[in-house]
Amino acid sequence: MAEAGATGDTIGVLYVHTATLPPLGADTWIQSQIIRHIDRSSHELHVACRTFVGGVATPTYEVVRDIEGIDIVPVDFGPELAGRSFAGKVRGVAATLPALWGLGRLVRLSRRRRVQVVHTSDRPRDAFAAVLIARLTGATSVVHVHVGYNPAWIGRMLQWSLAHADHLVAVSSFVASTLVEGGFPAERVDVVLNAIDVDAWVPGAGRDDVRAELGIGAAATVVATVCRLFPEKGPGDLIEAVARVRTVHPEVVLLIVGKELFPGYRDELETLTARLELGDAVRFLGRRGDVGAVMAAADIFAMPSHEEPFGLVFLEAMAMERPVVALADGGTLEVVDHDRNGLLSSWKDADQLVANLSTLIADPARRAAMGECGRHHVIERFTVQRMAADVAALYRRIAASTR
């Protein structure tokens, strides 16, 4: 890259992602795909991230270090404070003092390389840093918002950052509506629907291996859910629905993949499973690195998540040619087409949730047709190439408005 930095024909972009703890968040993964697939001829890309902690690559560095044609800028903003006690946060703040040096380094880089856009996710520290860097350099700040806006639980640092960012990118029209309803001007809010790398999801791959590992016979109908385990994702509702379904279809098995968000919640779900006398019909698999294979082993993907911001996992299930059972609200409505690639029900309508599961369990041909439709749907509307192009279009508008 030329030392002069971005030119009139090239847009300089700085991405800020300083998370150090696994697992890799969907927010960082989405931006890594934008970085990987955006047009290199029109953009000069810089990625600020922590590279190693204790000799181990951070999740962000792991997914960007093999991307060609980008400038990775090692930066240390100190330890992450989420989940710490008050005393731990106080100690953590003291440990983040080196962040001032890192922030200064990014400001200098942005000026030297003529960065026009500073883009990050809605992680509070990164959003704050991105807005600050943009303010100090004359660049435009963009914060990618992956959850519905709710000031009741969004901290003050993120609220300030969202209020002072030049642009907010919502992952769905639903998320955008919560921002506008929360008082953010609609002209500052853009929608770029999430996407996946379709080629990474191969229908059928791993099905026999996972079924053999779990001792699931060919005659069983498998329902799978994949999520961080907390009440709003609906795992408890799904367990109760499967218990009712099994009175007619006793061959049904439910696989639950994911780690609890709050300590003790998995215990609650296991207690519910025991109370309903489901035994081995419900398998808690924890966090797994072979989600695609688990979906291949399943016949139906179900996640009755209320007001899901987007539902990236629905795209993954559809790419694996699995029909989806979900709720007709939130961002789910922008991903799943009812009666084409899935079946939707209203929140708290337990009877319809049971009916939707039962319908698909009883009709393998319909499952197959919906699965094929789902994969075509993803290929047509939810590829990473389309997502990167949408973001590039936003950058062009920003560059044109600041000339």
Side-chain angles (χ1 to χ4, degrees):
M1 295 180 183
E3 183 59 31
T7 67
D9 297 325
T10 305
I11 300 171
V13 186
L14 170 64
Y15 297 92
V16 180
H17 289 281
T18 65
T20 60
L21 302 176
L24 179 75
D27 55 342
T28 306
W29 185 87
I30 285 294
Q31 291 224 317
S32 76
Q33 296 306 301
I34 293 169
I35 295 165
R36 186 177 296 276
H37 293 281
I38 201 164
D39 178 13
R40 287 290 182 285
S41 66
S42 304
H43 302 87
E44 180 181 282
L45 307 182
H46 310 272
V47 181
C49 67
R50 182 82 176 268
T51 52
F52 291 93
V53 176
V56 178
T58 64
T60 302
Y61 185 55
E62 188 67 41
V63 296
V64 301
R65 61 180 171 180
D66 69 328
I67 302 177
E68 296 182 358
I70 67 172
D71 172 33
I72 296 178
V73 186
V75 64
D76 181 3
F77 279 2
E80 296 182 65
L81 304 181
R84 293 190 177 207
S85 65
F86 177 76
K89 287 182 178 179
V90 170
R91 291 191 296 271
V93 167
T96 62
L97 293 179
L100 296 176
W101 183 88
L103 194 65
R105 183 185 183 195
L106 295 180
V107 168
R108 292 190 297 272
L109 176 141
S110 296
R111 287 173 175 163
R112 187 176 72 252
R113 306 299 298 183
R114 300 176 187 173
V115 166
Q116 294 161 275
V117 178
V118 185
H119 193 170
T120 190
S121 73
D122 50 8
R123 292 180 182 245
R125 183 173 64 178
D126 290 346
F128 180 79
V131 172
L132 208 56
I133 292 165
R135 288 292 179 93
L136 292 172
T137 63
T140 298
S141 55
V142 178
V143 177
H144 219 114
V145 184
H146 291 258
V147 295
Y149 179 74
N150 185 344
W153 62 266
I154 291 179
R156 279 177 285 187
M157 177 182 283
L158 181 55
Q159 288 191 47
W160 183 92
S161 302
L162 295 176
H164 291 85
D166 297 303
H167 287 274
L168 304 177
V169 174
V171 298
S172 65
S173 294
F174 166 70
V175 170
S177 70
T178 67
L179 289 166
V180 174
E181 290 166 5
F184 298 95
E187 60 270 18
R188 285 205 294 122
V189 181
D190 290 271
V191 176
V192 175
L193 296 175
N194 279 343
I196 63 171
D197 180 0
V198 183
D199 293 338
W201 301 86
V202 181
R207 178 180 175 88
D208 293 341
D209 292 341
V210 171
R211 284 202 167 214
E213 172 199 340
L214 300 177
I216 298 173
T221 303
V222 177
V223 178
T225 192
V226 180
C227 62
R228 290 293 295 275
L229 299 181
F230 59 96
E232 287 74 16
K233 292 290 185 180
D237 297 334
L238 186 56
I239 291 170
E240 292 179 345
V242 166
R244 291 176 57 184
V245 166
R246 277 177 56 85
T247 61
V248 178
H249 302 282
E251 78 284 3
V252 172
V253 173
L254 172 62
L255 305 181
I256 299 178
V257 177
K259 185 178 179 181
E260 64 188 0
L261 183 60
F262 306 113
Y265 186 60
R266 173 168 167 167
D267 290 340
E268 292 180 25
L269 296 176
E270 290 179 339
T271 298
L272 174 63
T273 299
R275 179 170 59 80
L276 295 173
E277 300 181 345
L278 289 170
D280 263 357
V282 177
R283 314 283 184 88
F284 292 89
L285 305 185
R287 183 184 294 153
R288 290 183 63 119
D290 60 345
V291 169
V294 174
M295 288 182 175
D299 301 288
I300 300 165
F301 181 83
M303 189 177 75
S305 176
H306 177 49
E307 294 195 341
E308 181 70 23
F310 179 83
L312 203 60
V313 72
F314 296 141
L315 295 184
E316 294 167 350
M318 287 191 284
M320 293 300 291
E321 296 188 348
R322 291 294 168 257
V324 170
V325 172
L327 300 187
D329 62 21
T332 302
L333 289 167
E334 300 169 59
V335 179
V336 182
D337 285 347
H338 178 66
D339 214 27
R340 293 190 67 236
N341 47 48
L343 296 177
L344 305 177
S345 58
S346 300
W347 185 42
K348 294 187 177 181
D349 188 344
D351 291 343
Q352 190 59 52
L353 176 59
V354 170
N356 287 346
L357 287 169
S358 298
T359 294
L360 293 178
I361 290 166
D363 195 341
R366 190 173 185 185
R367 293 201 304 264
M370 281 190 167
E372 290 183 13
C373 178
R375 185 169 173 87
H376 288 306
H377 183 60
V378 175
I379 291 170
E380 290 172 0
R381 296 193 57 201
F382 296 102
T383 65
V384 287
Q385 291 80 9
R386 187 273 307 157
M387 179 175 65
D390 287 352
V391 171
L394 171 61
Y395 294 165
R396 287 195 298 273
R397 294 199 303 272
I398 290 172
S401 68
T402 55
R403 283 174 185 157

